[in-house]
Amino acid sequence: CDSTEANAKCYLLMAQIADDKLDSCKKTLGNLNGDDTIGNQLCGQARRYFNQSNMDISEGVMDKTLAFYSSTCKGSWTAVTSSQRGKLRVAERLCCDKNWKYFKCNGGSLVNEGC
């Protein structure tokens, strides 16, 4: 149960997907079949999380920064970090409309609305 080693391995793996576009249909963690956009998959996960937290989610969510976390040996969740770059974050912020569909927070056009 080496938390330093676990963090290094998580960083190595997750850094490979941190820059993925959220309107991509790429097969990846959380979107194993590529049957929806990464953003739509994350919006679904955000909806379940916020709903369990009894938060008002009637209008979706806006401009959420997503970071990677890991837990080692049943310990608490800690941010996946690098001594040079700090906390590992998803490059794009998450915005979900009231129907829990992803949209670009900057108002840009989606490459894929669905897959």
Side-chain angles (χ1 to χ4, degrees):
C1 287
D2 184 339
S3 61
T4 302
E5 180 181 359
N7 178 74
K9 287 180 178 180
C10 283
Y11 194 94
L12 179 67
L13 290 171
M14 298 304 155
Q16 297 175 38
I17 64 170
D19 291 329
D20 287 352
K21 300 293 183 193
L22 297 185
D23 60 351
S24 167
C25 296
K26 179 179 176 182
K27 291 181 180 180
T28 187
L29 295 171
N31 194 29
L32 296 175
N33 296 323
D35 57 1
D36 205 351
T37 65
I38 295 169
N40 283 342
Q41 292 286 325
L42 289 171
C43 284
Q45 291 175 16
R47 180 181 188 181
R48 288 187 294 278
Y49 171 79
F50 288 123
N51 198 30
Q52 290 175 352
S53 300
N54 295 321
M55 299 176 75
D56 179 14
I57 56 171
S58 60
E59 296 299 316
V61 296
M62 293 292 298
D63 210 28
K64 296 293 182 188
T65 300
L66 303 176
F68 294 91
Y69 283 77
S70 69
S71 173
T72 307
C73 298
K74 300 181 182 180
S76 60
W77 289 94
T78 57
V80 175
T81 60
S82 161
S83 59
Q84 296 173 334
R85 298 187 68 193
K87 189 185 290 187
L88 182 61
R89 293 183 171 89
V90 174
E92 291 186 282
R93 291 178 178 262
L94 184 66
C95 286
C96 309
D97 66 19
K98 65 183 179 182
N99 296 312
W100 294 94
K101 295 295 181 186
Y102 168 73
F103 67 93
K104 288 193 176 282
C105 298
N106 66 6
S109 298
L110 295 175
V111 172
N112 296 299
E113 292 188 28
C115 305

